[in-house]
Amino acid sequence: MEIQYVPTTCPYCGCGCGFNLVNVDGKLVGVEPWKRNPVNEGKLCPKGNFSYEFVHREDRLTTPLIKKGGEFVEATWDEALDLVASKLTEMKEKNPEQLAFLSSARCTNEDNYTFQKFVRTVIGTNNVDHCARLCHGPSVAGLAQTFGSGAMTNSLESCAHSDVVFLIGTNTLEQHPLMWRRALQAKAKGAKIMVADPRFTPSAKQADLYIPFKSGTDVALLNSMMNVIIAEGLEDKEFVENRTTGYEELKEMVKKYPPEEAEKITGVPADLIREAALMYAKADNASLLFSMGITQHTVGTENVMSTSNLAMLTGNIGRPGTGVNPLRGQNNVQGACDMGALPVSFPGYQAVANEELVEKMTCSWGCSDLSCKPGLTVVEIMHAAHAGDIKGMYIMGENPMISDPDLQHVGEALNNLDFLVVQDIFLTETAELADVVLPAYSWAEKDGTFTSTERRVQYIRKAVEGPGESRDDWAITSDIATRMGSDLFKFNSAQEIFEEIRSVTPQYAGMNKERLEKPEALHWPCPDEEHPGTPILHAEKFSTPDGLGVFKAIEFKAPAENPDEEYPFILTTGRLLFHWHTGSMTRRSETLNREVSTGFVEINTEDAAKLGIKNKEMVKVKTRRGEIEVPAKVTNDIIQGTVFIPFHFAECAANMLTSGDALDPYAKMPELKVSAASIEKLE
Ligand code: SF4
């Protein structure tokens, strides 16, 4: 019997935990702790523990598929790739702007880098995006405007040094369990945990202070907390004076939000707002964590900027135990953004609209005619496909038929395409609509790097062979590029690609193989090989041109859709401990799926009683986009007037109900956390 222990990085949430995959005679049989990894020190949540279970599933894609007469037929790689290359060439020659590309936060940095380079150098468009748009696009846009860098300011470990940990719009215990462990380490040393959330989540249940508020009223709550802090003279005057601009405008604006006024908007009692403000402001070191409860709104970017305002006002930036910390949902959502899988930037957030940077990338890549026109975002791509303006799409490792808003619209958009290529590990709901399906390696079969939510760049290592004829994502994309006549994709390994990445991405420049091999790896920015990496940003100055943090005076704006007589509830969506995103991997893990095997709608006990709904009874939830049938979970863990549906489950897909019509003006985020809904008992 041959046993191998292969150290690698978890394929699920953005915490980036390390563990050993155990290979016995060519099959993965489990995971074992990797105690020297400082992210999780040998600890794991259930998803990490059972992450190997889907790898050997019999329904893995093992050969390319081409749709003929409405049915998939197995094909050779030559047949499939020649077809893809010839169709994309033909369509690009007509108009490259009629093609769109979805990259993937599940895939490695090397896969994402290769994919966006293909889109830019071979196709000639910037129509490349990925589902960060639907999770943390506003974090990137908001933090870039206030701090000059759109990333988590502090490391995970830093949170353990907080005196107060403020969670707003994040159920960290369930979604980022190994980050939650750091909050508990702080609590064990006497720190207080504050949670603001419309649901009494497992995180809220362990908090010292729970602030239940109406979904979509974050700005009013945060402005009111700042109103109290300034009124009490608790602002950090020295920090405000020396490190920031825009304070006077902010101070004037928050005067409009005394707690009694904010109570009318948020539903939070004025005294509770005061208590929260004082608790946060009086801490020596307060860290603020947020996730999609903050970002998934048409005011997502403004919500993010409000969190920056609060942290700067109290001087809680640049030290251990402080910071503004967006917890990225997917394993490599930070890396996919860093690699330029975004319609506005090359790798390293270098703007495609900046002529000097276009010139730089043209020289670095040895190409010509890079487009400087920003491309379309995820939701814009679907709208354009629906309208017939996008005619071809290539999707790598994403499943918009579950993850995107308004699924009926998404289905119509994808069916409207002349040509759809999907590259994935399973025949997902999206792959079923494709003309060509390309089988890829899972994370356990790949070498490469992921960049976690704390900007830590870590290796993943191949622990087992991929099934059938599946291949590396970067190799498939490179093969298509070469068949389309490019000679810029002669990569032989992920390491070769990483060497090119660090040559064009300033934040990664100092990351060589020897340094990344160490369990602690490196946090970006790491501009040269002598630089130690940067676990905590903005210690001395912000990343803005003048080094100052920028206060933004932001007024509360109501959500794009509000409850009315016909649709009297606020529907909000989210995630569960045992599942991950569109469920394509966790629902194929026997152990995880056994824990929660289908979706549900959470409804408050009193709301349910008025509608005659009992626990576990089937109900119909309806919005202006569509309706689903789903079992009710009657509970006091959610405020009255709000219902919650997890979005992992295709058979009762929450995104049948959400809207993609209104978008955040900065980050193009739809109103995923607030939809007006009705609910009725099914007879
Ligand atoms: Fe994986 Fe996140 Fe769980 Fe860590 S906390 S084991 S990274 S899912």
Side-chain angles (χ1 to χ4, degrees), residues 294-332:
I294 279 282
T295 59
Q296 286 190 325
H297 297 276
T298 50
V299 292
T301 303
E302 295 191 337
N303 285 348
V304 171
M305 293 193 287
S306 294
T307 65
S308 305
N309 286 341
L310 180 66
M312 287 191 290
L313 183 66
T314 49
N316 276 306
I317 291 290
R319 302 185 305 280
T322 68
V324 175
N325 299 297
L327 303 178
R328 317 296 297 253
Q330 304 206 54
N331 54 324
N332 197 35

mmCIF file of all heavy atoms in Angstrom, residues 294-332:
data_model
loop_
_atom_site.group_PDB
_atom_site.id
_atom_site.type_symbol
_atom_site.label_atom_id
_atom_site.label_comp_id
_atom_site.label_asym_id
_atom_site.label_seq_id
_atom_site.Cartn_x
_atom_site.Cartn_y
_atom_site.Cartn_z
ATOM 1 N N ILE A 294 -23.333 43.205 3.559
ATOM 2 C CA ILE A 294 -22.966 44.595 3.251
ATOM 3 C C ILE A 294 -22.924 44.823 1.734
ATOM 4 O O ILE A 294 -23.398 45.842 1.224
ATOM 5 C CB ILE A 294 -21.582 44.919 3.886
ATOM 6 C CG1 ILE A 294 -21.761 45.252 5.372
ATOM 7 C CG2 ILE A 294 -20.865 46.043 3.177
ATOM 8 C CD1 ILE A 294 -22.286 46.649 5.665
ATOM 9 N N THR A 295 -22.361 43.862 1.018
ATOM 10 C CA THR A 295 -22.035 44.140 -0.399
ATOM 11 C C THR A 295 -23.182 43.900 -1.377
ATOM 12 O O THR A 295 -23.248 44.557 -2.413
ATOM 13 C CB THR A 295 -20.843 43.279 -0.846
ATOM 14 O OG1 THR A 295 -21.181 41.899 -0.664
ATOM 15 C CG2 THR A 295 -19.584 43.628 -0.071
ATOM 16 N N GLN A 296 -24.070 42.934 -1.072
ATOM 17 C CA GLN A 296 -25.053 42.537 -2.102
ATOM 18 C C GLN A 296 -26.281 43.453 -2.118
ATOM 19 O O GLN A 296 -27.418 43.027 -1.922
ATOM 20 C CB GLN A 296 -25.478 41.085 -1.889
ATOM 21 C CG GLN A 296 -24.391 40.107 -2.311
ATOM 22 C CD GLN A 296 -24.867 38.675 -2.346
ATOM 23 O OE1 GLN A 296 -25.685 38.254 -1.529
ATOM 24 N NE2 GLN A 296 -24.357 37.900 -3.279
ATOM 25 N N HIS A 297 -26.005 44.708 -2.364
ATOM 26 C CA HIS A 297 -27.053 45.726 -2.451
ATOM 27 C C HIS A 297 -26.717 46.670 -3.594
ATOM 28 O O HIS A 297 -25.535 46.807 -3.967
ATOM 29 C CB HIS A 297 -27.111 46.547 -1.150
ATOM 30 C CG HIS A 297 -27.476 45.757 0.061
ATOM 31 N ND1 HIS A 297 -28.783 45.475 0.407
ATOM 32 C CD2 HIS A 297 -26.710 45.172 1.011
ATOM 33 C CE1 HIS A 297 -28.798 44.770 1.524
ATOM 34 N NE2 HIS A 297 -27.562 44.564 1.914
ATOM 35 N N THR A 298 -27.718 47.385 -4.079
ATOM 36 C CA THR A 298 -27.433 48.405 -5.096
ATOM 37 C C THR A 298 -26.684 49.586 -4.485
ATOM 38 O O THR A 298 -26.203 50.447 -5.211
ATOM 39 C CB THR A 298 -28.736 48.894 -5.757
ATOM 40 O OG1 THR A 298 -29.662 49.238 -4.730
ATOM 41 C CG2 THR A 298 -29.334 47.827 -6.648
ATOM 42 N N VAL A 299 -26.602 49.622 -3.144
ATOM 43 C CA VAL A 299 -25.738 50.608 -2.468
ATOM 44 C C VAL A 299 -24.556 49.890 -1.804
ATOM 45 O O VAL A 299 -23.991 50.374 -0.828
ATOM 46 C CB VAL A 299 -26.531 51.425 -1.411
ATOM 47 C CG1 VAL A 299 -27.546 52.323 -2.075
ATOM 48 C CG2 VAL A 299 -27.197 50.498 -0.391
ATOM 49 N N GLY A 300 -24.176 48.739 -2.343
ATOM 50 C CA GLY A 300 -23.112 47.928 -1.730
ATOM 51 C C GLY A 300 -21.819 48.708 -1.560
ATOM 52 O O GLY A 300 -21.171 48.644 -0.502
ATOM 53 N N THR A 301 -21.429 49.451 -2.591
ATOM 54 C CA THR A 301 -20.164 50.197 -2.509
ATOM 55 C C THR A 301 -20.260 51.269 -1.424
ATOM 56 O O THR A 301 -19.306 51.502 -0.673
ATOM 57 C CB THR A 301 -19.831 50.828 -3.874
ATOM 58 O OG1 THR A 301 -19.784 49.766 -4.849
ATOM 59 C CG2 THR A 301 -18.507 51.548 -3.865
ATOM 60 N N GLU A 302 -21.409 51.921 -1.327
ATOM 61 C CA GLU A 302 -21.578 52.949 -0.291
ATOM 62 C C GLU A 302 -21.614 52.312 1.097
ATOM 63 O O GLU A 302 -21.113 52.890 2.066
ATOM 64 C CB GLU A 302 -22.837 53.779 -0.568
ATOM 65 C CG GLU A 302 -22.682 54.571 -1.869
ATOM 66 C CD GLU A 302 -23.755 55.600 -2.072
ATOM 67 O OE1 GLU A 302 -24.834 55.452 -1.482
ATOM 68 O OE2 GLU A 302 -23.514 56.543 -2.842
ATOM 69 N N ASN A 303 -22.209 51.128 1.201
ATOM 70 C CA ASN A 303 -22.158 50.415 2.485
ATOM 71 C C ASN A 303 -20.704 50.181 2.910
ATOM 72 O O ASN A 303 -20.324 50.384 4.072
ATOM 73 C CB ASN A 303 -22.857 49.059 2.382
ATOM 74 C CG ASN A 303 -24.368 49.165 2.348
ATOM 75 O OD1 ASN A 303 -24.931 50.218 2.616
ATOM 76 N ND2 ASN A 303 -25.039 48.072 2.010
ATOM 77 N N VAL A 304 -19.900 49.713 1.938
ATOM 78 C CA VAL A 304 -18.484 49.434 2.235
ATOM 79 C C VAL A 304 -17.783 50.718 2.668
ATOM 80 O O VAL A 304 -17.036 50.739 3.659
ATOM 81 C CB VAL A 304 -17.791 48.814 0.999
ATOM 82 C CG1 VAL A 304 -16.280 48.725 1.213
ATOM 83 C CG2 VAL A 304 -18.363 47.426 0.701
ATOM 84 N N MET A 305 -18.039 51.807 1.952
ATOM 85 C CA MET A 305 -17.380 53.066 2.307
ATOM 86 C C MET A 305 -17.810 53.542 3.693
ATOM 87 O O MET A 305 -17.029 54.169 4.420
ATOM 88 C CB MET A 305 -17.659 54.117 1.235
ATOM 89 C CG MET A 305 -16.973 53.746 -0.100
ATOM 90 S SD MET A 305 -16.905 55.065 -1.335
ATOM 91 C CE MET A 305 -18.576 55.161 -1.894
ATOM 92 N N SER A 306 -19.050 53.232 4.080
ATOM 93 C CA SER A 306 -19.499 53.594 5.428
ATOM 94 C C SER A 306 -18.733 52.822 6.497
ATOM 95 O O SER A 306 -18.445 53.370 7.578
ATOM 96 C CB SER A 306 -20.999 53.303 5.590
ATOM 97 O OG SER A 306 -21.734 54.138 4.753
ATOM 98 N N THR A 307 -18.413 51.551 6.206
ATOM 99 C CA THR A 307 -17.600 50.802 7.184
ATOM 100 C C THR A 307 -16.207 51.436 7.302
ATOM 101 O O THR A 307 -15.646 51.524 8.389
ATOM 102 C CB THR A 307 -17.468 49.300 6.828
ATOM 103 O OG1 THR A 307 -16.740 49.160 5.612
ATOM 104 C CG2 THR A 307 -18.809 48.615 6.720
ATOM 105 N N SER A 308 -15.676 51.908 6.164
ATOM 106 C CA SER A 308 -14.367 52.597 6.205
ATOM 107 C C SER A 308 -14.468 53.853 7.050
ATOM 108 O O SER A 308 -13.567 54.156 7.854
ATOM 109 C CB SER A 308 -13.913 53.016 4.802
ATOM 110 O OG SER A 308 -13.878 51.950 3.915
ATOM 111 N N ASN A 309 -15.556 54.623 6.864
ATOM 112 C CA ASN A 309 -15.747 55.850 7.642
ATOM 113 C C ASN A 309 -15.687 55.563 9.136
ATOM 114 O O ASN A 309 -15.004 56.251 9.897
ATOM 115 C CB ASN A 309 -17.121 56.467 7.333
ATOM 116 C CG ASN A 309 -17.194 57.132 5.963
ATOM 117 O OD1 ASN A 309 -16.167 57.458 5.360
ATOM 118 N ND2 ASN A 309 -18.401 57.338 5.463
ATOM 119 N N LEU A 310 -16.419 54.523 9.551
ATOM 120 C CA LEU A 310 -16.482 54.196 10.979
ATOM 121 C C LEU A 310 -15.097 53.839 11.523
ATOM 122 O O LEU A 310 -14.694 54.289 12.602
ATOM 123 C CB LEU A 310 -17.462 53.033 11.201
ATOM 124 C CG LEU A 310 -17.636 52.570 12.642
ATOM 125 C CD1 LEU A 310 -18.296 53.656 13.489
ATOM 126 C CD2 LEU A 310 -18.472 51.287 12.712
ATOM 127 N N ALA A 311 -14.366 53.023 10.759
ATOM 128 C CA ALA A 311 -13.036 52.595 11.228
ATOM 129 C C ALA A 311 -12.074 53.766 11.281
ATOM 130 O O ALA A 311 -11.303 53.915 12.241
ATOM 131 C CB ALA A 311 -12.501 51.497 10.310
ATOM 132 N N MET A 312 -12.116 54.650 10.267
ATOM 133 C CA MET A 312 -11.190 55.805 10.270
ATOM 134 C C MET A 312 -11.554 56.784 11.383
ATOM 135 O O MET A 312 -10.679 57.365 12.024
ATOM 136 C CB MET A 312 -11.226 56.511 8.914
ATOM 137 C CG MET A 312 -10.531 55.721 7.811
ATOM 138 S SD MET A 312 -10.284 56.675 6.298
ATOM 139 C CE MET A 312 -11.944 56.854 5.679
ATOM 140 N N LEU A 313 -12.853 56.968 11.599
ATOM 141 C CA LEU A 313 -13.296 57.926 12.621
ATOM 142 C C LEU A 313 -12.750 57.555 13.992
ATOM 143 O O LEU A 313 -12.447 58.419 14.819
ATOM 144 C CB LEU A 313 -14.834 57.939 12.649
ATOM 145 C CG LEU A 313 -15.488 58.920 13.609
ATOM 146 C CD1 LEU A 313 -15.200 60.360 13.170
ATOM 147 C CD2 LEU A 313 -17.002 58.689 13.672
ATOM 148 N N THR A 314 -12.600 56.268 14.223
ATOM 149 C CA THR A 314 -12.146 55.795 15.531
ATOM 150 C C THR A 314 -10.678 55.357 15.509
ATOM 151 O O THR A 314 -10.198 54.748 16.474
ATOM 152 C CB THR A 314 -13.037 54.616 15.984
ATOM 153 O OG1 THR A 314 -13.133 53.684 14.891
ATOM 154 C CG2 THR A 314 -14.425 55.078 16.355
ATOM 155 N N GLY A 315 -10.013 55.614 14.386
ATOM 156 C CA GLY A 315 -8.577 55.285 14.295
ATOM 157 C C GLY A 315 -8.298 53.799 14.299
ATOM 158 O O GLY A 315 -7.212 53.359 14.689
ATOM 159 N N ASN A 316 -9.267 53.005 13.857
ATOM 160 C CA ASN A 316 -9.086 51.549 13.915
ATOM 161 C C ASN A 316 -8.573 50.989 12.595
ATOM 162 O O ASN A 316 -9.204 50.128 11.973
ATOM 163 C CB ASN A 316 -10.404 50.885 14.318
ATOM 164 C CG ASN A 316 -10.594 50.882 15.821
ATOM 165 O OD1 ASN A 316 -9.720 50.406 16.547
ATOM 166 N ND2 ASN A 316 -11.689 51.461 16.280
ATOM 167 N N ILE A 317 -7.421 51.463 12.186
ATOM 168 C CA ILE A 317 -6.786 51.013 10.948
ATOM 169 C C ILE A 317 -5.281 50.925 11.178
ATOM 170 O O ILE A 317 -4.702 51.781 11.850
ATOM 171 C CB ILE A 317 -7.049 52.040 9.805
ATOM 172 C CG1 ILE A 317 -8.530 52.033 9.386
ATOM 173 C CG2 ILE A 317 -6.178 51.771 8.581
ATOM 174 C CD1 ILE A 317 -8.982 50.800 8.654
ATOM 175 N N GLY A 318 -4.677 49.883 10.605
ATOM 176 C CA GLY A 318 -3.213 49.849 10.543
ATOM 177 C C GLY A 318 -2.522 49.198 11.727
ATOM 178 O O GLY A 318 -1.299 49.217 11.802
ATOM 179 N N ARG A 319 -3.291 48.599 12.651
ATOM 180 C CA ARG A 319 -2.668 47.906 13.793
ATOM 181 C C ARG A 319 -3.276 46.513 13.934
ATOM 182 O O ARG A 319 -4.422 46.283 13.491
ATOM 183 C CB ARG A 319 -2.952 48.635 15.114
ATOM 184 C CG ARG A 319 -2.516 50.061 15.196
ATOM 185 C CD ARG A 319 -2.762 50.605 16.622
ATOM 186 N NE ARG A 319 -4.128 50.452 17.081
ATOM 187 C CZ ARG A 319 -5.133 51.247 16.754
ATOM 188 N NH1 ARG A 319 -4.925 52.252 15.919
ATOM 189 N NH2 ARG A 319 -6.346 51.052 17.219
ATOM 190 N N PRO A 320 -2.572 45.590 14.596
ATOM 191 C CA PRO A 320 -3.204 44.301 14.904
ATOM 192 C C PRO A 320 -4.508 44.535 15.673
ATOM 193 O O PRO A 320 -4.588 45.453 16.495
ATOM 194 C CB PRO A 320 -2.179 43.587 15.785
ATOM 195 C CG PRO A 320 -0.875 44.237 15.464
ATOM 196 C CD PRO A 320 -1.186 45.666 15.114
ATOM 197 N N GLY A 321 -5.519 43.749 15.398
ATOM 198 C CA GLY A 321 -6.780 43.855 16.127
ATOM 199 C C GLY A 321 -7.725 44.896 15.581
ATOM 200 O O GLY A 321 -8.769 45.144 16.186
ATOM 201 N N THR A 322 -7.350 45.545 14.487
ATOM 202 C CA THR A 322 -8.225 46.574 13.926
ATOM 203 C C THR A 322 -8.584 46.204 12.482
ATOM 204 O O THR A 322 -8.459 45.067 12.071
ATOM 205 C CB THR A 322 -7.529 47.950 13.943
ATOM 206 O OG1 THR A 322 -6.427 47.924 13.015
ATOM 207 C CG2 THR A 322 -7.035 48.308 15.330
ATOM 208 N N GLY A 323 -9.025 47.211 11.721
ATOM 209 C CA GLY A 323 -9.160 47.029 10.278
ATOM 210 C C GLY A 323 -10.583 46.878 9.795
ATOM 211 O O GLY A 323 -11.532 46.716 10.572
ATOM 212 N N VAL A 324 -10.699 46.975 8.489
ATOM 213 C CA VAL A 324 -11.958 46.732 7.781
ATOM 214 C C VAL A 324 -11.716 45.496 6.928
ATOM 215 O O VAL A 324 -10.867 45.499 6.034
ATOM 216 C CB VAL A 324 -12.338 47.942 6.905
ATOM 217 C CG1 VAL A 324 -13.575 47.633 6.079
ATOM 218 C CG2 VAL A 324 -12.598 49.160 7.790
ATOM 219 N N ASN A 325 -12.472 44.447 7.233
ATOM 220 C CA ASN A 325 -12.103 43.137 6.717
ATOM 221 C C ASN A 325 -13.238 42.448 5.964
ATOM 222 O O ASN A 325 -14.072 41.766 6.568
ATOM 223 C CB ASN A 325 -11.623 42.274 7.887
ATOM 224 C CG ASN A 325 -10.400 42.889 8.548
ATOM 225 O OD1 ASN A 325 -9.356 43.029 7.927
ATOM 226 N ND2 ASN A 325 -10.553 43.312 9.796
ATOM 227 N N PRO A 326 -13.297 42.654 4.636
ATOM 228 C CA PRO A 326 -14.288 41.929 3.844
ATOM 229 C C PRO A 326 -13.880 40.457 3.770
ATOM 230 O O PRO A 326 -12.754 40.144 3.380
ATOM 231 C CB PRO A 326 -14.185 42.596 2.455
ATOM 232 C CG PRO A 326 -12.841 43.231 2.404
ATOM 233 C CD PRO A 326 -12.458 43.549 3.823
ATOM 234 N N LEU A 327 -14.760 39.572 4.174
ATOM 235 C CA LEU A 327 -14.433 38.144 4.168
ATOM 236 C C LEU A 327 -14.878 37.569 2.826
ATOM 237 O O LEU A 327 -16.074 37.430 2.564
ATOM 238 C CB LEU A 327 -15.116 37.444 5.340
ATOM 239 C CG LEU A 327 -14.754 38.030 6.709
ATOM 240 C CD1 LEU A 327 -15.501 37.316 7.825
ATOM 241 C CD2 LEU A 327 -13.250 37.960 6.948
ATOM 242 N N ARG A 328 -13.903 37.256 1.988
ATOM 243 C CA ARG A 328 -14.207 36.803 0.621
ATOM 244 C C ARG A 328 -14.750 35.381 0.679
ATOM 245 O O ARG A 328 -14.221 34.535 1.383
ATOM 246 C CB ARG A 328 -12.964 36.866 -0.276
ATOM 247 C CG ARG A 328 -12.118 38.119 -0.120
ATOM 248 C CD ARG A 328 -12.826 39.385 -0.523
ATOM 249 N NE ARG A 328 -13.201 39.431 -1.903
ATOM 250 C CZ ARG A 328 -12.610 40.180 -2.849
ATOM 251 N NH1 ARG A 328 -11.589 40.935 -2.553
ATOM 252 N NH2 ARG A 328 -13.057 40.187 -4.081
ATOM 253 N N GLY A 329 -15.801 35.149 -0.098
ATOM 254 C CA GLY A 329 -16.531 33.887 0.015
ATOM 255 C C GLY A 329 -15.837 32.703 -0.607
ATOM 256 O O GLY A 329 -15.803 31.614 -0.041
ATOM 257 N N GLN A 330 -15.276 32.887 -1.787
ATOM 258 C CA GLN A 330 -14.712 31.740 -2.489
ATOM 259 C C GLN A 330 -13.206 31.672 -2.256
ATOM 260 O O GLN A 330 -12.548 32.680 -2.019
ATOM 261 C CB GLN A 330 -15.010 31.838 -3.980
ATOM 262 C CG GLN A 330 -16.494 31.954 -4.251
ATOM 263 C CD GLN A 330 -16.878 31.443 -5.624
ATOM 264 O OE1 GLN A 330 -16.568 30.314 -5.974
ATOM 265 N NE2 GLN A 330 -17.540 32.256 -6.400
ATOM 266 N N ASN A 331 -12.697 30.449 -2.384
ATOM 267 C CA ASN A 331 -11.281 30.180 -2.123
ATOM 268 C C ASN A 331 -10.343 31.157 -2.814
ATOM 269 O O ASN A 331 -9.365 31.603 -2.245
ATOM 270 C CB ASN A 331 -10.937 28.757 -2.562
ATOM 271 C CG ASN A 331 -11.334 28.503 -4.008
ATOM 272 O OD1 ASN A 331 -12.349 29.002 -4.485
ATOM 273 N ND2 ASN A 331 -10.559 27.731 -4.719
ATOM 274 N N ASN A 332 -10.628 31.507 -4.071
ATOM 275 C CA ASN A 332 -9.659 32.334 -4.794
ATOM 276 C C ASN A 332 -10.308 33.566 -5.408
ATOM 277 O O ASN A 332 -9.884 34.023 -6.467
ATOM 278 C CB ASN A 332 -8.937 31.522 -5.868
ATOM 279 C CG ASN A 332 -7.677 32.220 -6.326
ATOM 280 O OD1 ASN A 332 -6.996 32.869 -5.532
ATOM 281 N ND2 ASN A 332 -7.359 32.111 -7.603
#
